[in-house]
Amino acid sequence: MASDREFNLIGKSPLRVDGMAKCAGQTKFADDLSMPRMLFAKLHRSPVAHAKIVGIDTSKAEAMPGVVAVLTGKSMPIPFGILPVSQDEHVLAFDKVRFIGDPVAAVAAVDEGTAYEAMLAIEVTYEELPVVLNAEQALANEAPAIHDYGDDGNVHKRVSMQFGDVEQAFEDSDEIFTDITLFGSNTHLAMEQHASLGHVAADGRVTIHSSTQTPHYLHKAACKVLELPPSRVRIIATPNGGGFGGKSDPFNHEIVVAKLSQVTNRPVKISLTREEVFQCHRGRHTVLMKSRMGMTKDGKITGIHFQSLLDGGSYGSFGVATTYYTGALQTVTYEVPTYRFDGVRAFTNKAPSGPKRGHGTPQPRFAIEVQLDKAAEKLGIDPAELRLRMIQPPESVTANWLYVNSIGLAECIEKVVEGSGWKERFGKLPRGHGLGLACSSYISGAGLPIYWNAMPHSGVQLKVDRGGGVAVFCGETEIGQGSDTVLATCVAEVLGLELLDVRVCAGDTDLTPVDLGSYSSRVTLMMGNAAIQAAERAREIIGKHAAKRMGIPGNRVVFAGNRVFDAEDPERGMSFSEAVQIAEAEQGTIGTVGSYSPPPNPGRYRGSGVGPTATYSYTAAVVEIFADEETGMIEVDKVWIAHDIGRALNRNLVIGQVEGGVYMGLGEALMEDMAYREKRRGVLKHPSMLEYKSITTHEMPEVITTLVEHPDPRGPFGAKEVGQGPLLPMMPAVANALHDALGVRVDQVPIHPDLVMKALKAKDKRAGPKKFPDLLITDTQRVKTQAEGGDGTAPRSPKEKAVQS
């Protein structure tokens, strides 16, 4: 093992400084600093799921020709994470590893092949520890704690809150339905794998180019770990080949390339293999759920007690927020006058779970929509009619103090019912053929930032040039959803320009105002409103001087068709570029800014920060399937889906997002599964696209998409989100269609063929989980509803009073 000695950066011997080993003199490029050839990095990852690190021997790697630097965890001892309450990751593990794939060391070499060979040459000695394989085992707390923080041993987060008298609501119910459901883990499967490039300038400034969804938060993490002021770190978010939440966390590899570049004075690039992407994961949590729902005989909900147990994997990630999200949005779709939620997230020795499209809401949506289908059958009410009877009214406050602005769910249901011939065909198709319906809601951006502060969530800056072009700067990140186009569209619409006249500079922390990132379906609403504000301010400046030149009142100035003219006499006017020149001559260079912050949330209790938004989107879907009772195979024949978009700013982009959600949702319903081998602790079964099954063009059905447009006053030009909501109804719609086809219930996803066969053979015609563990809730936060005269706050619990005293 190399000794811990310091020496000149360009030495001829191994160097180790606080865990950094360097062999710069062993490559012909090292002495020629005038030509900094790019290096390639690889990460040595743990082959065991839980162990103490006894020793790391990097000497063989350091001695290999072409190896320029080797890092171990001691070089970056400062922890990081996406949430301020879960700063539990290190760039390279140095005390213990917590899952198979945890990075332990990093290598930089002259080519990727050499880096790979050197990575394999690193020898790590482990002292293995007991492995926690699932959330139920973690809840029992029989194994050593995976982390030294959390609410209780391997319980990362335990929450409980109640709104209104749920038990009395159950007493007043005609029927009470109790169901246990399971939603399995799956991953994002973005076409592009993670990649990052770090380089350090001569003045020591660090730049990281990365396929990230959140350059702002990566910037924060990199500054912390590298111990640099924010002004000396630059993040450039490259256009992503898909993200779906999988590139929302700051990752080890993104920071490691910057550190390697600091050590070597050369650019360093890393591209993860597909297997490494599976190991990074941050995908859907496995969630076991229990829902108890009280209803009247005419189909109104009286109260819900919802419980969730989340398998969070090995690190915090977004997990605290995910826990709350499994309980937050049950009330914004249907009227739920009283509500209780208990949730627990547990640490296990698996790849870390995190945010995937719909973040924390597909799991409870599956549970609730399947339960409603069962309730409709028991009450003798058509499932579509049942939902229409209970829709949350617009401009209302829910039991858990979320404000619902506009809601087009009723029209969405009516559209898919009509399109599918639901009333004529549901329950009447030949055996094996079935229809299933489900609905959903989702946020148009989170109401609070990850790091709570009073600053805007999105900023936009405009520079108007004399030639008639406009440059727009924003920290938003293009991940394939079309946000760059939406940004340009908002500016062009206000200023009356063509899209080609607007140039976009996005996702660069040095050049653009802060936008918090592409997550939570926030970009169109927040960035769009900020862009409109900036463009309106530019229009006001230009219009004032144009009106003066034309000799007309300012309220008669129109911007359209790349011209500025008089509304009453369109021939009187000038080109946009002429108007800009006139304004610039009068008052100097024209530049404006715009920003956006969501409206305040009426809830002010602990946990109320998860769930609020400016406005919610709504979706309804009907799925038609054929289920083969001899094999258990399910084929989806057709999907009718209607989405409450508010207003579609670009119909092609919106429909693409809706159908992308359908595609992903069907994959989760039928086959996508982050399964682990039972006898090999913590080992993934399918860490490749060959084995991890997802929908192909062969399985993708015809999709009939309807956009329900009623502009929402809080959205840019009335728009709502579309990136995540349309996924949510697909899984329960498939499960409900299976019941219509074969009369069986599979209360878990993915709905594998063996589960269908198991349900067919079962006496109760059901397959799925049968038991739900005691979550060991001892402290429930109680909040009065608006109907009870509450004000959105909660009295301090005995536990909180004890802590304060």
Side-chain angles (χ1 to χ4, degrees):
M1 183 178 293
S3 61
D4 292 333
R5 65 180 183 274
E6 297 185 30
F7 83 111
N8 194 325
L9 181 65
I10 308 301
K12 302 298 182 182
S13 309
L15 165 67
R16 181 179 294 276
V17 183
D18 295 332
M20 295 181 289
K22 178 168 170 45
C23 310
Q26 296 183 15
T27 169
K28 63 181 179 181
F29 307 121
D31 293 325
D32 186 4
L33 295 182
S34 64
M35 296 181 65
R37 295 277 300 270
M38 186 171 73
L39 302 175
F40 297 84
K42 285 292 181 184
L43 296 175
H44 181 96
R45 297 179 180 271
S46 170
V48 295
H50 197 198
K52 293 180 181 178
I53 299 174
V54 177
I56 305 175
D57 186 349
T58 61
S59 58
K60 291 180 181 178
E62 294 166 21
M64 294 176 66
V67 172
V68 182
V70 180
L71 297 181
T72 59
K74 291 181 181 178
S75 63
M76 292 169 282
I78 299 174
F80 71 98
I82 185 65
L83 300 185
V85 296
S86 300
Q87 300 283 298
D88 59 1
E89 297 187 59
H90 288 89
V91 175
L92 299 171
F94 60 85
D95 55 351
K96 72 173 184 176
V97 293
R98 296 172 171 87
F99 74 102
I100 292 175
D102 219 350
V104 177
V107 176
V110 295
D111 57 60
E112 198 167 16
T114 301
Y116 179 75
E117 293 298 327
M119 177 270 290
L120 294 178
I122 295 172
E123 297 177 356
V124 184
T125 304
Y126 297 102
E127 179 186 317
E128 292 200 49
L129 299 169
V131 174
V132 181
L133 295 175
N134 54 60
E136 292 89 336
Q137 185 181 346
L139 193 61
N141 276 324
E142 296 173 351
I146 295 170
H147 288 279
D148 58 4
Y149 81 103
D151 282 358
D152 176 25
N154 283 319
V155 171
H156 179 201
K157 189 65 179 177
R158 180 181 277 116
V159 300
S160 179
M161 53 188 73
Q162 180 166 317
F163 307 89
D165 192 339
V166 178
E167 290 304 318
Q168 183 60 52
F170 289 155
E171 289 287 330
D172 297 338
S173 300
D174 296 315
E175 296 283 352
I176 296 177
F177 301 91
T178 302
D179 291 283
I180 299 173
T181 50
L182 176 67
F183 200 111
S185 178
N186 50 71
T187 200
H188 313 85
L189 215 66
M191 290 184 70
E192 181 195 34
Q193 294 143 226
H194 299 253
S196 298
L197 185 149
H199 62 91
V200 178
D203 60 5
R205 292 173 184 260
V206 173
T207 298
I208 302 173
H209 301 254
S210 193
S211 55
T212 178
Q213 296 179 229
T214 54
H216 174 67
Y217 292 118
L218 174 56
H219 183 261
K220 185 178 286 288
C223 290
K224 179 184 179 185
V225 175
L226 299 175
E227 298 181 87
L228 290 172
S231 59
R232 297 181 189 176
V233 176
R234 179 184 186 185
I235 308 298
I236 299 174
T238 59
N240 281 210
F244 314 114
K247 298 170 184 173
S248 299
D249 285 73
F251 283 96
N252 318 69
H253 64 272
E254 295 175 307
I255 302 174
V256 104
V257 290
K259 187 68 174 181
L260 284 167
S261 186
Q262 286 181 317
V263 173
T264 62
N265 285 321
R266 294 164 69 172
V268 180
K269 178 183 177 180
I270 189 168
S271 299
L272 301 192
T273 65
R274 181 61 63 177
E275 184 172 355
E276 287 179 298
V277 175
F278 273 92
Q279 291 170 335
C280 287
H281 190 39
R282 316 299 162 122
R284 193 83 71 211
H285 287 67
T286 293
V287 183
L288 180 65
M289 297 162 285
K290 181 179 180 180
S291 177
R292 192 174 182 219
M293 180 186 293
M295 296 191 75
T296 62
K297 59 185 178 181
D298 61 348
K300 295 292 183 70
I301 296 173
T302 59
I304 296 176
H305 181 189
F306 194 86
Q307 297 174 277
S308 62
L309 176 60
L310 295 79
D311 185 335
S314 48
Y315 288 101
S317 184
F318 282 81
V320 171
T322 313
T323 306
Y324 281 105
Y325 269 124
T326 60
L329 301 189
Q330 273 78 305
T331 59
V332 302
T333 315
Y334 310 115
E335 282 193 273
V336 182
T338 64
Y339 181 59
R340 173 169 173 167
F341 167 61
D342 303 325
V344 167
R345 184 183 193 260
F347 287 124
T348 63
N349 294 118
K350 296 177 181 176
S353 295
K356 186 188 173 187
R357 201 173 192 173
H359 189 196
T361 64
Q363 299 96 323
R365 181 54 49 194
F366 174 77
I368 293 295
E369 292 295 319
V370 168
Q371 188 169 47
L372 285 176
D373 221 54
K374 295 178 182 180
E377 184 177 29
K378 179 70 180 292
L379 296 172
I381 303 173
D382 178 88
E385 175 61 29
L386 178 74
R387 288 165 171 84
L388 286 168
R389 292 181 185 183
M390 60 175 64
I391 291 174
Q392 179 71 23
E395 299 181 8
S396 63
V397 175
T398 67
N400 57 338
W401 292 91
L402 298 175
Y403 180 74
V404 174
N405 195 39
S406 65
I407 176 168
L409 181 57
E411 188 172 345
C412 289
I413 295 173
E414 290 164 357
K415 292 291 185 183
V416 297
V417 164
E418 179 183 1
S420 64
W422 174 272
K423 293 180 179 179
E424 297 78 27
R425 301 170 67 221
F426 174 67
K428 302 170 185 176
L429 296 176
R431 182 166 177 80
H433 296 266
L435 294 173
L437 181 144
C439 301
S440 70
S441 55
Y442 199 66
I443 59 174
S444 297
L448 289 172
I450 291 173
Y451 287 78
W452 287 15
N453 60 71
M455 292 181 284
H457 292 213
S458 185
V460 169
Q461 184 175 6
L462 295 189
K463 179 185 75 69
V464 185
D465 66 52
R466 300 172 185 179
V470 175
V472 54
F473 301 84
C474 181
E476 59 89 8
T477 309
E478 175 63 70
I479 59 172
Q481 83 281 41
S483 58
D484 284 0
T485 301
V486 170
L487 176 57
T489 298
C490 290
V491 173
E493 181 71 17
V494 173
L495 296 179
L497 302 175
E498 296 182 15
L499 281 179
L500 290 177
D501 297 313
V502 181
R503 298 181 300 282
V504 172
C505 176
D508 186 326
T509 59
D510 261 15
L511 301 182
T512 63
V514 168
D515 179 272
L516 299 183
S518 290
Y519 65 94
S520 294
S521 277
R522 56 174 300 285
V523 178
T524 291
L525 187 133
M526 298 192 184
M527 171 203 73
N529 278 321
I532 290 170
Q533 185 182 75
E536 287 176 340
R537 288 171 173 172
R539 184 178 64 184
E540 182 179 356
I541 293 170
I542 299 166
K544 178 179 68 174
H545 296 291
K548 182 179 178 182
R549 175 64 62 90
M550 291 186 286
I552 63 173
N555 61 4
R556 279 170 46 186
V557 176
V558 176
F559 287 69
N562 286 72
R563 294 182 67 243
V564 180
F565 55 88
D566 183 356
E568 295 184 2
D569 182 8
E571 295 301 318
R572 178 194 295 178
M574 64 201 75
S575 68
F576 179 79
S577 61
E578 290 174 324
V580 171
Q581 292 167 25
I582 291 168
E584 189 172 340
E586 289 288 330
Q587 71 173 64
T589 302
I590 299 173
T592 60
V593 295
S595 59
Y596 177 79
S597 295
N601 174 43
R604 289 169 288 158
Y605 54 88
R606 179 168 32 93
S608 63
V610 175
T613 187
T615 186
Y616 299 92
S617 75
Y618 294 88
T619 313
V622 170
V623 171
E624 182 171 355
I625 70 163
F626 169 69
D628 189 332
E629 58 185 322
E630 294 186 359
T631 65
M633 294 290 291
I634 296 174
E635 296 178 10
V636 180
D637 295 325
K638 198 167 185 177
V639 172
W640 295 264
I641 186 165
H643 182 69
D644 169 23
I645 184 64
R647 185 180 183 186
L649 303 187
N650 184 309
R651 290 187 66 84
N652 287 340
L653 288 179
V654 170
I655 292 172
Q657 287 293 300
V658 171
E659 295 182 0
V662 170
Y663 163 83
M664 187 170 281
L666 292 178
E668 295 192 26
L670 298 174
M671 60 188 72
E672 295 195 36
D673 192 4
M674 277 285 285
Y676 289 79
R677 299 188 184 279
E678 294 181 7
K679 295 182 180 180
R680 297 182 63 193
R681 303 183 302 172
V683 177
L684 269 170
K685 279 186 178 181
H686 311 303
S688 78
M689 291 184 73
L690 180 65
E691 300 167 299
Y692 180 93
K693 301 303 180 185
S694 64
I695 294 289
T696 68
T697 53
H698 176 70
E699 292 91 10
M700 185 65 183
E702 180 184 3
V703 180
I704 307 298
T705 301
T706 301
L707 302 182
V708 172
E709 295 190 76
H710 297 290
D712 189 292
R714 291 184 169 185
F717 303 116
K720 297 184 181 186
E721 80 84 35
V722 67
Q724 305 190 56
L727 174 147
L728 306 183
M730 301 315 300
M731 295 74 75
V734 171
N736 291 339
L738 176 63
H739 179 67
D740 186 43
L742 295 178
V744 299
R745 290 284 180 188
V746 175
D747 288 341
Q748 71 180 69
V749 293
I751 305 174
H752 287 310
D754 63 305
L755 292 174
V756 176
M757 300 307 295
K758 184 177 180 181
L760 285 167
K761 295 174 183 177
K763 289 183 179 180
D764 59 357
K765 299 300 178 184
R766 176 189 180 274
K770 299 185 183 300
K771 296 181 180 179
F772 191 88
D774 186 349
L775 297 183
L776 305 176
I777 301 296
T778 59
D779 183 26
T780 299
Q781 183 181 198
R782 299 181 183 273
V783 183
K784 287 186 177 181
T785 65
Q786 192 176 59
E788 293 176 310
D791 61 0
T793 63
R796 286 182 300 155
S797 68
K799 183 178 179 180
E800 290 174 317
K801 292 178 181 178
V803 170
Q804 186 170 1
S805 63

